[in-house]
């Protein structure tokens, strides 16, 4: 089953990359989008995959009005890097995983219109994240394609990303399934680097102290006895 409409190539058709609308409804939604984008982009570095955010996904050649702008989408088996927009018929790949940062005002579109579209396009996983908890009580709900239909994901694990997802305040936390390691968001990464730098400096200071103590010992007693 496929929902990509096979139409002949038509020259002169414009596929816009922007509609002038804001990227997200609120700061919380924008921050959730950007952190999810960056965390997954870093996670997939070196893979033949790309992560795009709030960019038009065109799914029917010759019909530029048939489009959707997922908040975050992950596409495998394509060249890495950004695009102005994404055309399924050119890249020959449908996104495997899509995230929508949902709200009370967009819930009908997210849980009906978009869900039905992504299901028809055969997007393998569809995740809804409600950072303010306005209509999803647990804030996070995922769906996985089984046959032609979506079924609810009950363990918050992404088969395609090989990650476990967790609600952490107004963000999604991502943990590797193979070793349980958390994928750090940019702020946490900066803090981790600072802590590592601090520990390295402490180690250098201890090494300097030991060298000084050893030098004083040699001055008073000579070389250390051999074991």
């Amino acid at each position: 089953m496929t929902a990509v409409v096979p139409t002949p190539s038509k020259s002169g058709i414009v596929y816009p990359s922007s509609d002038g609308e804001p990227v997200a409804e609120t700061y919380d939604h924008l921050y959730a989008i950007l952190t999810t984008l960056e965390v997954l982009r870093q996670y997939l570095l070196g893979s033949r995959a790309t992560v795009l955010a709030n960019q038009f996904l065109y799914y029917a050649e010759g019909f530029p009005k048939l489009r959707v702008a997922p908040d975050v989408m992950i596409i495998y088996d394509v060249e890495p890097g950004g695009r102005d927009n994404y055309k399924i018929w050119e890249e020959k790949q449908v996104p495997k995983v899509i995230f929508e940062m949902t709200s009370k005002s967009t819930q009908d579109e997210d849980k009906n219109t978009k869900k039905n579209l992504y299901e028809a396009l055969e997007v393998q996983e569809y995740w809804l994240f409600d950072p303010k908890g306005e209509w999803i009580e647990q804030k996070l709900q995922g769906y996985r394609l089984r046959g032609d239909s979506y079924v609810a994901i009950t363990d918050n694990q992404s088969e395609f990303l090989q990650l476990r997802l967790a609600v952490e305040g107004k963000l999604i936390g991502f943990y590797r399934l193979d070793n349980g390691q958390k994928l750090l968001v940019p702020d946490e990464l900066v803090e981790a680097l600072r802590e590592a730098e601090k520990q390295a400096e402490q180690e250098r200071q201890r090494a300097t102290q030991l060298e000084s103590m050893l030098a004083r010992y040699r001055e008073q007693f000579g070389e250390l006895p051999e074991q």
Side-chain angles (χ1 to χ4, degrees):
M1 168 181 149
T2 180
V4 180
V5 181
T7 58
S9 177
K10 299 180 180 180
S11 62
I13 296 178
V14 176
Y15 297 88
S17 297
S18 173
D19 59 4
E21 294 295 321
V23 172
E25 183 175 325
T26 68
Y27 172 82
D28 290 334
H29 291 81
L30 176 61
Y31 191 51
I33 291 170
L34 294 179
T35 53
T36 298
L37 168 69
E38 184 59 20
V39 166
L40 294 180
R41 190 185 69 82
Q42 292 290 336
Y43 174 61
L44 292 171
L45 281 178
S47 303
R48 195 164 182 272
T50 191
V51 186
L52 304 176
N54 196 51
Q55 290 177 281
F56 281 142
L57 168 66
Y58 289 97
Y59 50 90
E61 185 179 3
F63 297 92
K65 291 186 178 180
L66 295 182
R67 67 195 185 198
V68 65
D71 285 333
V72 179
M73 56 181 168
I74 299 93
I75 309 108
Y76 287 90
D77 299 316
V78 295
E79 289 302 313
R83 281 104 164 126
D84 291 335
N85 53 50
Y86 188 88
K87 304 180 184 72
I88 289 177
W89 63 91
E90 287 187 356
E91 309 243 14
K92 312 298 184 186
Q93 294 293 337
V94 172
K96 292 295 186 186
V97 183
I98 284 179
F99 290 85
E100 293 290 356
M101 310 309 171
T102 188
S103 68
K104 186 176 181 179
S105 65
T106 66
Q107 64 173 305
D108 288 337
E109 181 182 14
D110 294 333
K111 70 182 180 182
N112 294 309
T113 306
K114 287 186 176 181
K115 183 182 174 186
N116 291 337
L117 173 62
Y118 298 153
E119 187 178 71
L121 289 174
E122 299 183 355
V123 175
Q124 296 299 306
E125 289 182 359
Y126 175 41
W127 293 88
L128 286 167
F129 180 58
D130 181 4
K132 294 190 173 186
E134 294 178 321
W135 70 275
I136 301 178
E137 184 177 358
Q138 69 276 18
K139 292 189 177 183
L140 181 68
Q141 178 60 63
Y143 299 91
R144 183 175 294 123
L145 197 65
R146 285 289 180 259
D148 293 339
S149 303
Y150 277 140
V151 297
I153 296 174
T154 58
D155 58 5
N156 280 354
Q157 292 188 6
S158 170
E159 288 184 354
F160 282 87
L161 296 173
Q162 283 295 290
L163 296 171
R164 177 177 64 84
L165 281 60
V167 175
E168 298 183 346
K170 295 181 179 180
L171 297 176
I172 304 173
F174 295 91
Y175 296 80
R176 295 176 61 111
L177 292 182
D178 56 358
N179 59 17
Q181 182 180 11
K182 182 180 181 181
L183 306 184
L184 300 181
V185 301
D187 288 346
E188 291 173 330
L189 182 58
V190 169
E191 185 60 31
L193 291 173
R194 286 175 177 166
E195 183 61 27
E197 186 178 57
K198 179 180 177 182
Q199 291 178 359
E201 179 59 30
Q202 290 173 344
E203 290 295 330
R204 284 193 293 269
Q205 290 177 359
R206 281 194 287 268
T208 300
Q209 290 172 353
L210 287 173
E211 289 176 0
S212 178
M213 291 171 61
L214 180 58
R216 289 199 299 272
Y217 179 93
R218 286 170 173 160
E219 287 178 0
Q220 296 181 40
F221 306 107
E223 292 296 328
L224 291 170
E226 295 183 0
Q227 294 286 332

